[in-house]
Amino acid sequence: MVKICCIGAGYVGGPTMAVIALKCPSIEVAVVDISVSRINAWNSDQLPIYEPGLDGVVKQCRGKNLFFSTDVEKHVREADIVFVSVNTPTKTRGLGAGKAADLTYWESAARMIADVSKSDKIVVEKSTVPVKTAEAIEKILTHNSKGIKFQILSNPEFLAEGTAIQDLFNPDRVLIGGRETPEGNKAVQALKEVYAHWVPEERILTTNLWSAELSKLAANAFLAQRISSVNAMSALCEATGADVTQVSYAVGKDTRIGPKFLNASVGFGGSCFQKDILNLVYICECNGLPEVAEYWKQVIKINDYQKNRFVNRVVASMFNTVSNKKIAILGFAFKKDTGDTRETPAIDVCKGLLGDKARVSIYDPQVTEDQIQRDLTMNKFDWDHPLHLQPMSPTTVKQVTCVWDAYEATKDAHGICILTEWDEFKNLDFKKIYDNMQKPAFVFDGRNIVNVDQLREIGFIVYSIGKPLDPWLKDMPAVA
Ligand SMILES: NC(=O)c1ccc[n+]([C@@H]2O[C@H](COP(=O)([O-])OP(=O)(O)OC[C@H]3O[C@@H](n4cnc5c(N)ncnc54)[C@H](O)[C@@H]3O)[C@@H](O)[C@H]2O)c1
Ligand SMILES: O=c1ccn([C@@H]2O[C@H](COP(=O)(O)OP(=O)(O)O[C@H]3O[C@H](CO)[C@@H](O)[C@H](O)[C@H]3O)[C@@H](O)[C@H]2O)c(=O)[nH]1
């Protein structure tokens, strides 16, 4: 029986390995982690991450050919294929701080693999890493190998949160990069056979190592760039009276452009886009390509601009101050159908409003109060380290309350900010909400999910990203 071990039981390691176990009953899969609480949660009824469909997949295989364990060394030693899916946060100190990927966790995993291995292994990069990481990992492994042979493959993951199970069942492509040597080709073939259990052969792409590593960074940069492009257009739409939804529909109808990923928003979030672009920027700079670095930096600058612009709209609309006003925040996760808050635009928006002394009342169906408080007090990039190594939140932000109901959050509020596109927000009783708010009552829709005309009829003053402006907002500056 082929044995797979995955180091890192997170958003990628957990779902990816659960799907491999489900689709390959003949393979034994162990997912290991240094975080005891994470592993305990994977072994309980309350999985550590919320992902539609994940529960069912885990329940079908757990205890049969899928195991979650903290005995990292044992499972690595026994495995034929070791996936490494650990954190690769942005460095906060030293060389490349604020841009480069911090490979501490990767390096310690590689050293541990070399230490405990007693048989040849294929080591698979599942984490998103800088180009040429495989070379560094190869060096660590071979210099410590005691005669054991390791083949390194790059197999970046393209799943998106909220649709992870769907994406894993039916991927656009699986990408496997390896050394172009007989041993390298053999290793690529072995991993290909795993995916071939359910992925059609023509969707399994094989490349050299560096192309696979770079393709992952490139794909995320292209995706994020589309959002920054449409968000940049949203500002121009507001200035001209065009409607960004109509513009992106018309643009996306061009088959060369395509309709997906053109939704204007308060900004993109998530653990990957910003981190991976910063990483790309750093790699370009290190390779003497400042113009290319500058080009990709702009994607992040526009994203920051979009979040600032949103906060400025809120404050400017409400007589240039939100001091002591209650603002309801509907949605804190970085997108719907996940409880993940890493780099969520809600953090920046809330911090902006708190900076103007607002009182914020937050409701998100999947995010706990503890998480929100930690997010609002943590330093940038600290969120991307293993849970037990993150600083405990020393203080709580007093002007923040978290509630478990949208009606409670909006009661007596002056304004509402919709920051995540949860389906349930589309069906709220806005008349009831309006009746229970201070007047004038404002809605700032950062996800373009409300029916603007209906809300204006009820009496709300409505701002919706990239839509023709409410007369109330017309003469107010977008960016103060
Ligand atoms: N989240 C996504 O949607 C996504 C998608 C594609 C790629 N990625 C990439 O995959 C990687 C993992 O991302 P994630 O979202 O799953 O992160 P995560 O924080 O959810 O999971 C990483 C896990 O690795 C564990 N870990 C760290 N060092 C370890 C070690 N030495 N031994 C054992 N366990 C260790 C941590 O405790 C943590 O549970 C990152 O490089 C990320 O960029 C993420
Ligand atoms: O038209 C759009 C599409 C997305 N978003 C926002 O962009 C962010 C990222 O969304 P999405 O890409 O759907 O989720 P992620 O889980 O971050 O997935 C991205 O990052 C992963 C980690 O690298 C990759 O594996 C995926 O392919 C890539 O889509 C979220 O805040 C979305 O709300 C928009 O604002 N407008």
Side-chain angles (χ1 to χ4, degrees):
M1 194 182 216
V2 174
K3 285 193 176 179
I4 288 180
C5 173
C6 175
I7 305 176
Y11 283 88
V12 171
T16 319
M17 293 302 127
V19 168
I20 290 183
L22 182 77
K23 299 291 186 182
C24 313
S26 59
I27 297 179
E28 191 180 295
V29 182
V31 192
V32 297
D33 204 293
I34 43 173
S35 162
V36 177
S37 62
R38 258 218 166 146
I39 290 297
N40 287 345
W42 279 112
N43 282 320
S44 75
D45 285 338
Q46 194 66 46
L47 300 184
I49 61 177
Y50 171 71
E51 192 61 62
L54 177 63
D55 256 42
V57 176
V58 170
K59 277 193 185 126
Q60 282 181 71
C61 326
R62 197 172 51 193
K64 291 185 190 138
N65 66 332
L66 175 66
F67 303 92
F68 295 94
S69 168
T70 49
D71 197 344
V72 180
E73 296 188 359
K74 169 181 177 281
H75 289 284
V76 168
R77 193 180 306 118
E78 290 174 356
D80 305 292
I81 305 177
V82 180
F83 285 83
V84 184
S85 183
V86 299
N87 322 56
T88 49
T90 305
K91 272 184 90 169
T92 48
R93 286 157 173 240
L95 189 65
K99 281 182 275 194
D102 177 350
L103 293 177
T104 314
Y105 303 110
W106 237 106
E107 184 172 337
S108 87
R111 286 182 187 279
M112 183 270 298
I113 296 171
D115 268 359
V116 306
S117 292
K118 294 204 158 64
S119 56
D120 295 352
K121 297 194 192 314
I122 297 173
V123 177
V124 185
E125 284 178 351
K126 198 55 159 166
S127 306
T128 304
V129 290
V131 195
K132 293 276 177 179
T133 298
E135 197 165 64
I137 301 303
E138 229 167 33
K139 283 185 185 141
I140 293 171
L141 290 171
T142 47
H143 282 277
N144 296 284
S145 73
K146 295 167 265 168
I148 286 157
K149 292 204 175 65
F150 295 102
Q151 274 302 319
I152 319 288
L153 300 178
S154 163
N155 172 221
E157 184 48 59
F158 294 101
L159 68 79
E161 289 176 29
T163 53
I165 298 300
Q166 220 170 293
D167 296 342
L168 289 165
F169 278 179
N170 191 22
D172 286 345
R173 79 311 211 174
V174 165
L175 181 56
I176 305 174
R179 283 276 182 205
E180 288 156 311
T181 58
E183 299 79 24
N185 290 338
K186 208 171 139 205
V188 168
Q189 198 50 38
L191 186 57
K192 209 172 160 184
E193 276 164 24
V194 172
Y195 285 107
H197 280 83
W198 79 99
V199 181
E201 175 140 18
E202 66 277 11
R203 286 202 220 158
I204 306 179
L205 316 182
T206 57
T207 63
N208 74 30
L209 271 172
W210 325 129
S211 303
E213 288 179 336
L214 184 55
S215 300
K216 171 64 194 176
L217 297 180
N220 273 357
F222 276 48
L223 288 168
Q225 185 234 45
R226 275 174 83 92
I227 303 169
S228 279
S229 296
V230 78
N231 281 345
M233 283 301 159
S234 75
L236 190 55
C237 286
E238 288 166 28
T240 57
D243 178 330
V244 75
T245 312
Q246 294 174 351
V247 172
S248 46
Y249 183 75
V251 170
K253 272 289 174 192
D254 187 322
T255 52
R256 293 169 302 176
I257 296 171
K260 293 183 184 168
F261 248 71
L262 286 177
N263 294 322
S265 65
V266 59
F268 59 72
S271 65
C272 296
F273 282 173
Q274 176 175 288
K275 164 172 81 87
D276 294 351
I277 293 177
L278 288 171
N279 189 349
L280 187 66
V281 165
Y282 183 68
I283 295 168
C284 293
E285 287 172 354
C286 291
N287 281 283
L289 302 168
E291 289 81 2
V292 185
E294 224 23 70
Y295 174 77
W296 288 111
K297 237 187 241 173
Q298 201 58 29
V299 172
I300 294 176
K301 282 193 188 157
I302 287 288
N303 199 47
D304 290 338
Y305 163 76
Q306 189 75 346
K307 291 182 275 188
N308 284 335
R309 210 167 70 77
F310 186 85
V311 172
N312 290 340
R313 280 285 189 208
V314 176
V315 179
S317 312
M318 300 172 81
F319 314 103
N320 241 6
T321 177
V322 285
S323 180
N324 212 27
K325 290 177 184 164
K326 178 177 174 181
I327 310 285
I329 304 291
L330 300 188
F332 198 82
F334 81 96
K335 64 187 281 198
K336 74 169 182 175
D337 292 338
T338 178
D340 196 351
T341 58
R342 294 178 291 179
E343 274 311 320
T344 176
I347 295 176
D348 294 291
V349 171
C350 287
K351 282 186 173 170
L353 295 173
L354 291 166
D356 225 287
K357 294 195 178 155
R359 291 181 291 122
V360 301
S361 180
I362 305 174
Y363 165 64
D364 186 291
Q366 285 297 333
V367 185
T368 61
E369 175 163 9
D370 179 55
Q371 185 62 51
I372 290 171
Q373 285 289 355
R374 286 157 59 89
D375 287 336
L376 293 176
T377 47
M378 225 183 298
N379 288 331
K380 201 164 169 60
F381 303 131
D382 278 353
W383 48 264
D384 205 12
H385 290 264
L387 216 57
H388 61 289
L389 300 180
Q390 287 173 16
M392 304 297 282
S393 73
T395 46
T396 52
V397 186
K398 286 197 191 65
Q399 304 116 288
V400 174
T401 51
C402 300
V403 294
W404 280 105
D405 176 44
Y407 297 100
E408 184 62 31
T410 53
K411 192 162 176 285
D412 292 324
H414 290 257
I416 302 173
C417 297
I418 301 174
L419 301 184
T420 314
E421 72 283 19
W422 285 103
D423 288 337
E424 65 177 76
F425 297 156
K426 293 177 191 157
N427 304 316
L428 290 171
D429 181 347
F430 277 101
K431 175 76 178 79
K432 179 174 154 189
I433 288 177
Y434 179 80
D435 289 342
N436 287 322
M437 283 177 67
Q438 304 283 335
K439 308 294 175 320
F442 298 83
V443 170
F444 303 93
D445 183 1
R447 296 290 183 170
N448 285 348
I449 57 168
V450 300
N451 184 324
V452 175
D453 292 337
Q454 267 175 20
L455 260 60
R456 288 203 180 125
E457 226 160 83
I458 292 172
F460 282 106
I461 295 157
V462 186
Y463 167 72
S464 204
I465 301 259
K467 300 275 186 178
L469 288 181
D470 196 294
W472 181 280
L473 294 139
K474 270 224 166 90
D475 298 319
M476 292 177 181
V479 181

